[in-house]
Amino acid sequence: MSQSFDVAVIGAGPGGYVAAIRCAQLGFNTVCIDEWKNPQGKASLGGTCLNVGCIPSKALLESSENYERAAHKFSAHGINLQGLSMDVPVMISRKNKIVAAFTSGIAMLFRKNKITSMHGRGAFLKGGTGGEVWQIEVKNGDQTEAIEAKYVIIATGSTPRQLPFVPVDNERILDNVGALALTETPKRLGVIGAGVIGLEMGSVWRRLGAEVTILEALPGFLMAADEQVAKEAQKIFTRELGLGIQTSVKISAIRVDGESITVEYTDAQGAAQKLEVDKLIVAVGRIPNTAGLGAENVGLQLDNHDRIEVDSHCRTNLPNVYAVGDVVRGPMLAHKASEEGVAVAEIIAGQAGHVNLDTIPWVIYTSPEIAWVGKTEQELKAAGIQYKAGQFPFMANGRARALGETSGFVKVLADADTDRILGVHMIGPYVSEMISEAVVAMEFAASSEDIARIVHAHPSLSEVLHEAALSVDKRALHI
Ligand code: FAD
Ligand code: NAD
């Protein structure tokens, strides 16, 4: 007889594992099914985020930034280093240890919360009984087990989008998996796609000495970000970091000849170009992962982007079946996935789970960092919303000066009539940490006046947000 559970969660990324923990906290007998294997072939919980995404990329960004500081910034503090060198295998092994600590930490949390963890691919079997109980097959190699559950939470995440003429082998042509595992700095690195992964991974290897060229199809740069922030970022990334960024390119072919890879493309002027590199990262977006889930067995509905169709409560078209994270609409971000996981567990328990997609913060961990929440200026203009803008530069902030990190600014956008904050955009040091104040403000429907009247510690980077809020009403003090 198959094992029976209250809730089956398929996928143990930040959407699935958090949903499983919250379900267990709420008293449900919960199973979490996940098929991820680490390079040693062992089950590894945490999904894309912990294994080959957020955590390992941030580890490498930190290591490479430390190297960059030691090489180029310490001397301004009077710290002179001789014989500085970078041991890339040590950096990679530090990253692997951080990943292992977190993935095994989730296994420990599962044990603590009495969650049953099953390794293998989970798929709906035909003949779910219309909501009474769902039959799920868990396949691990040639072993198959069937379970049943009253509720199902699908959290199967996403996988890298492939370009048809670019064969990723993760040796020479890399997706995020290979880009996070290089054991030496390539002399020449090509990146297809100037999105979040392209910029973060390009930054890591550029700081460690690679000559990096990023080829972007769109005419603009970081088009999801506020235009002014994107322009500032492009200027800093090209002039200060030395990333070669070309927009409006159309890639026509990729050739691998002996040791080198040739990318053939036309540039913004339509002229034919060739780029020769030693390694090539392909980072052109991610696609929802619904393959092998048995969606067709039960009539699970997908939308026109192949995501699982859900309503604002993450309900699918099937009774008692929910879906969260990268596999559904909304930004592909770990914190969004986790919050949806919590919300669904609480909805199943009859509580009022909810995620506000309008206040999800975005962070890009380049140097300087980029962060935003809410609407951009271009979105407000397109929607015909009247707004006021206030802005303040890090250059005029004492803490930023002491850090030696003075690039960038904070911009606050507020409704012209009500002063309610509609968006906050940041580029500068540690804005990944500063953006939370703006998220809290927006969740509480704050006005720019509210932030302007709150006491901010001195000297702190948060004063830049304070001054930007004051500047909405043209009363910034230190400029
Ligand atoms: P995933 O993390 O993709 O997890 C899905 C899990 O389900 C996987 O383990 C998969 O193997 C498993 N699975 C799939 N199908 C089945 C099946 N049928 N049966 C069993 N198991 C299955 N986001 C941020 O917010 N901040 C960052 O800094 C950040 N950095 C990133 C860096 C990189 C390089 C990448 C690639 C992504 C990054 N992201 C970041 C995005 C983040 O990783 C995703 O948004 C997040 O992992 C989505 O969580 P999820 O639970 O929906 O899916
Ligand atoms: P992305 O959507 O951020 O960027 C992909 C880029 O590739 C776009 O600019 C797109 O125009 C470009 N592109 C598409 N096809 C192309 C082609 N044929 N030639 C040249 N350029 C092409 O996607 P990504 O960088 O792959 O990252 C995927 C997702 O992972 C992100 O959108 C984000 O949701 C998540 N992520 C988040 C973080 C973070 O939060 N810091 C970090 C990494 C990844």
Side-chain angles (χ1 to χ4, degrees):
M1 206 180 116
S2 47
Q3 287 191 78
S4 186
F5 296 91
D6 298 326
V7 184
V9 182
I10 307 179
Y17 87 75
V18 169
I21 292 173
R22 188 73 188 115
C23 284
Q25 284 177 345
L26 289 163
F28 295 114
N29 178 19
T30 305
V31 60
C32 186
I33 304 156
D34 189 89
E35 64 176 349
W36 197 282
K37 281 191 185 135
N38 66 16
Q40 291 72 45
K42 296 236 166 75
S44 183
L45 300 172
T48 304
C49 175
L50 269 69
N51 287 287
V52 292
C54 326
I55 301 299
S57 60
K58 267 75 255 179
L60 298 191
L61 280 156
E62 191 61 32
S63 298
S64 61
E65 191 156 6
N66 281 337
Y67 179 76
E68 167 97 356
R69 283 194 191 113
H72 303 293
K73 297 187 176 169
F74 277 10
S75 58
H77 295 263
I79 304 167
N80 295 308
L81 295 170
Q82 256 120 50
L84 183 71
S85 68
M86 185 68 208
D87 191 332
V88 175
V90 170
M91 172 182 83
I92 295 293
S93 112
R94 172 182 180 272
K95 179 261 309 180
N96 291 342
K97 281 185 200 143
I98 294 170
V99 168
F102 273 96
T103 55
S104 59
I106 295 175
M108 185 273 292
L109 288 173
F110 276 10
R111 286 193 294 277
K112 181 183 153 203
N113 286 284
K114 302 196 173 26
I115 295 162
T116 303
S117 184
M118 292 181 80
H119 181 67
R121 168 160 293 211
F124 285 97
L125 289 170
K126 276 199 172 114
T129 58
E132 285 304 306
V133 67
W134 293 100
Q135 311 286 336
I136 293 166
E137 171 193 81
V138 183
K139 201 166 185 336
N140 180 15
D142 48 15
Q143 292 189 332
T144 304
E145 208 175 322
I147 60 148
E148 52 184 45
K150 183 156 188 233
Y151 297 92
V152 181
I153 304 175
I154 303 165
T156 49
S158 62
T159 54
R161 188 163 81 82
Q162 309 276 339
L163 292 177
F165 48 90
V166 190
V168 169
D169 59 5
N170 273 328
E171 293 286 333
R172 313 284 300 284
I173 303 184
L174 320 166
D175 58 21
N176 57 302
V177 177
L180 289 162
L182 287 173
T183 48
E184 60 181 337
T185 305
K187 197 165 168 309
R188 301 162 305 172
L189 174 69
V191 181
I192 304 183
V196 198
I197 295 179
L199 291 173
E200 289 187 355
M201 289 296 94
S203 296
V204 167
W205 297 108
R206 171 72 205 114
R207 288 169 190 161
L208 300 184
E211 192 182 296
V212 178
T213 308
I214 305 185
L215 301 176
E216 166 60 44
L218 292 176
F221 174 72
L222 272 184
M223 292 185 80
D226 185 87
E227 251 171 42
Q228 198 188 349
V229 168
K231 273 201 187 117
E232 180 77 2
Q234 189 170 9
K235 199 172 72 193
I236 297 170
F237 296 161
T238 49
R239 288 193 202 154
E240 292 175 25
L241 179 59
L243 288 177
I245 302 173
Q246 298 188 35
T247 53
S248 293
V249 308
K250 194 166 182 329
I251 293 160
S252 46
I254 308 275
R255 278 188 291 109
V256 181
D257 309 310
E259 287 301 295
S260 90
I261 304 160
T262 307
V263 184
E264 294 178 8
Y265 63 99
T266 50
D267 64 17
Q269 285 70 44
Q273 301 287 356
K274 277 185 189 169
L275 173 72
E276 265 195 33
V277 291
D278 306 304
K279 301 274 182 190
L280 180 68
I281 297 175
V282 183
V284 292
R286 296 180 63 84
I287 53 167
N289 188 7
T290 52
L293 187 60
E296 62 293 346
N297 288 340
V298 285
L300 179 68
Q301 207 165 311
L302 306 186
D303 68 14
N304 52 5
H305 290 95
D306 286 336
R307 300 171 296 207
I308 295 175
E309 183 145 308
V310 289
D311 66 9
S312 59
H313 288 77
C314 295
R315 285 182 291 231
T316 69
N317 65 310
L318 303 175
N320 296 341
V321 178
Y322 297 79
V324 301
D326 280 12
V327 79
V328 304
R329 83 281 174 270
M332 287 182 162
L333 295 173
H335 39 286
K336 176 262 190 185
S338 299
E339 286 309 316
E340 285 182 337
V342 168
V344 163
E346 293 178 353
I347 290 166
I348 292 173
Q351 300 179 3
H354 176 66
V355 178
N356 181 1
L357 291 180
D358 293 334
T359 53
I360 306 274
W362 270 89
V363 177
I364 307 179
Y365 294 83
T366 43
S367 179
E369 293 180 343
I370 296 168
W372 73 89
V373 58
K375 300 276 186 250
T376 61
E377 274 202 67
Q378 61 267 28
E379 283 171 337
L380 293 175
K381 281 180 189 149
I385 296 170
Q386 300 298 311
Y387 65 93
K388 304 174 283 180
Q391 191 171 316
F392 195 81
F394 280 95
M395 182 64 95
N397 173 265
R399 187 77 200 280
R401 286 266 177 155
L403 284 170
E405 301 286 350
T406 51
S407 295
F409 58 86
V410 171
K411 180 162 74 174
V412 175
L413 305 174
D415 187 279
D417 292 329
T418 64
D419 193 35
R420 182 175 174 162
I421 298 170
L422 302 173
V424 177
H425 303 273
M426 304 178 166
I427 174 167
Y430 302 109
V431 295
S432 53
E433 301 298 331
M434 283 172 63
I435 196 68
S436 299
E437 180 180 352
V439 177
V440 172
M442 286 188 68
E443 274 291 327
F444 283 80
S447 61
S448 74
E449 178 77 11
D450 288 326
I451 293 195
R453 293 203 173 271
I454 290 171
V455 181
H456 289 72
H458 176 76
S460 74
L461 298 172
S462 70
E463 289 171 292
V464 181
L465 175 59
H466 184 222
E467 290 269 13
L470 282 164
S471 160
V472 170
D473 211 17
K474 307 211 172 357
R475 54 196 171 102
L477 296 163
H478 291 92
I479 201 154

